[in-house]
Amino acid sequence: MANLGIPQNTIDVLNKYKFTFQKRFGQNFLIDTHVLDKIIDASEITKDDLVLEIGPGIGTMTQYLCERARKVVAVEIDKALIPVLSDTLSAYDNVTVVNEDILKYDIRALVENENEGKPIKVVANLPYYITTPIIMGLFEEGVPLKSITVMVQKEVADRMQTGPGTKDYGALSLAVQYYAKPLIVANVPPNCFMPRPAVGSAVIKLSLHEEKPVSVKDEAFMFKIIKSSFMQRRKTLKNGLSNSGIISVSKEKVDLALKEMGLNESVRGETLTLEQFAKLSDLLG
Ligand code: SAM
């Protein structure tokens, strides 16, 4: 099968199957071989790896993954794409296509059954409408993972990678950085996709920490504090935490904790590091 990263080959496949794009599934197919090479290189896949691809589309990146990996499992929600994939991937015997919603798919079972419970790699050009639930689901369910290399909206990649004191810093930055080390590896303009998305895109690699960068007594409570702190960005941390409705903590208790941490009582959540949130969580818990 011809390389689908070349635009005319993608057009030929779309015509052959009279495929119509489904906006509700976030379908923007990659048509740029340089970008595909970048994603594959960044993911550092070897013949030992089991790769989970989320949303293979017509199989463009899947072909590249099959060349490099031991085994590829590609989960695609759109059943109209299943016959297309069996055609475009017919040259490979190391791929399984699953017609399912990734948010309902049992990834832990996949890791157990196909990789002896050892960490896998996730690679995807993600459907942007569910970027956060997919990434957070992977982290929070404790799926054994080495890395997640994904195309996301540029603005979301920036939010994942940035640190304290910037406008993009927030709950997503802290959650991602608690579990992984983020690195934006490429910025990708709309003309690399068919159809063109309305937003810019970026490839980001999240390499899972072997050990968490901070230790905290109650992880779930820390994330509640983080969520509360960023719900009303303009408010001081003290007001944000006592008014959020997510946790129940008095202003006096927050005051004491801030004092103990050597922080000013008018400090805003957006200036705190992950380490400081962990400390605050331990003091308020
Ligand atoms: N990987 C292809 C490429 O790079 O050309 C397609 C990427 S496209 C941005 C996103 C893909 O995810 C589409 O094929 C879409 O049908 C699929 N998708 C959308 N929602 C999904 C879900 N909940 N579970 C699995 N696949 C989904």
Side-chain angles (χ1 to χ4, degrees):
M1 169 55 71
N3 180 340
L4 298 169
I6 296 162
Q8 190 55 49
N9 294 339
T10 282
I11 292 168
D12 290 346
V13 168
L14 297 175
N15 288 340
K16 180 174 170 189
Y17 288 90
K18 299 191 170 45
F19 180 77
T20 43
F21 288 99
Q22 301 274 349
K23 224 176 168 183
R24 71 192 161 112
F25 288 147
Q27 291 178 339
N28 301 95
F29 298 164
L30 262 170
I31 45 160
D32 188 298
T33 54
H34 299 291
V35 175
L36 285 154
D37 285 334
K38 269 222 167 111
I39 299 174
I40 299 297
D41 286 347
S43 62
E44 295 181 291
I45 294 162
T46 72
K47 279 288 172 195
D48 287 332
D49 286 318
L50 172 69
V51 175
L52 169 66
E53 187 190 7
I54 298 164
I58 60 170
T60 312
M61 195 153 73
T62 327
Q63 294 179 333
Y64 283 69
L65 294 170
C66 288
E67 296 285 342
R68 297 276 193 106
R70 174 175 60 80
K71 167 105 207 220
V72 180
V73 174
V75 179
E76 173 56 61
I77 198 170
D78 185 354
K79 71 174 185 310
L81 288 167
I82 305 305
V84 184
L85 287 163
S86 59
D87 181 5
T88 59
L89 302 175
S90 60
Y92 301 101
D93 59 7
N94 60 340
V95 60
T96 303
V97 174
V98 182
N99 183 203
E100 230 184 278
D101 178 347
I102 191 65
L103 296 177
K104 298 187 181 140
Y105 181 66
D106 189 346
I107 305 172
R108 292 188 71 98
L110 168 76
V111 178
E112 277 311 315
N113 300 336
E114 300 275 354
N115 213 39
E116 299 166 343
K118 289 183 296 193
I120 64 164
K121 290 179 181 165
V122 174
V123 183
N125 171 15
L126 285 179
Y128 294 170
Y129 73 106
I130 45 171
T131 299
T132 305
I134 290 175
I135 304 269
M136 291 316 296
L138 288 167
F139 286 147
E140 286 169 356
E141 280 156 34
V143 178
L145 294 173
K146 279 188 199 151
S147 60
I148 304 173
T149 308
V150 280
M151 179 86 71
V152 297
Q153 210 174 311
K154 165 90 177 86
E155 183 206 315
V156 175
D158 289 339
R159 277 164 46 206
M160 289 180 181
Q161 189 175 259
T162 197
T166 63
K167 71 167 177 29
D168 291 330
Y169 187 61
L172 183 67
S173 330
L174 285 151
V176 164
Q177 291 165 32
Y178 179 68
Y179 293 103
K181 185 168 129 341
L183 180 68
I184 293 176
V185 292
N187 288 322
V188 183
N191 63 5
C192 296
F193 301 86
M194 186 185 296
R196 294 180 183 197
V199 292
S201 302
V203 179
I204 189 163
K205 180 174 187 182
L206 310 175
S207 304
L208 276 278
H209 296 306
E210 282 181 17
E211 239 176 80
K212 298 277 187 318
V214 298
S215 71
V216 59
K217 282 189 229 147
D218 184 346
E219 215 174 274
F221 185 63
M222 177 179 76
F223 282 114
K224 281 186 186 164
I225 291 186
I226 289 173
K227 200 168 171 193
S228 312
S229 313
F230 287 99
M231 268 172 64
Q232 302 143 302
R233 289 188 82 97
R234 307 304 313 154
K235 287 205 167 157
T236 62
L237 187 61
K238 184 164 75 170
N239 286 333
L241 290 185
S242 50
N243 292 335
S244 74
I246 295 177
I247 51 166
S248 148
V249 52
S250 67
K251 282 189 186 172
E252 292 70 30
K253 202 165 177 191
V254 178
D255 258 345
L256 274 176
L258 292 179
K259 206 169 266 166
E260 170 136 8
M261 291 172 66
L263 293 170
N264 192 293
E265 64 170 338
S266 62
V267 72
R268 294 224 173 100
E270 64 198 27
T271 66
L272 263 62
T273 63
L274 178 58
E275 210 168 358
Q276 287 172 314
F277 273 113
K279 179 94 196 284
L280 185 63
S281 168
D282 284 354
L283 289 170
L284 295 178

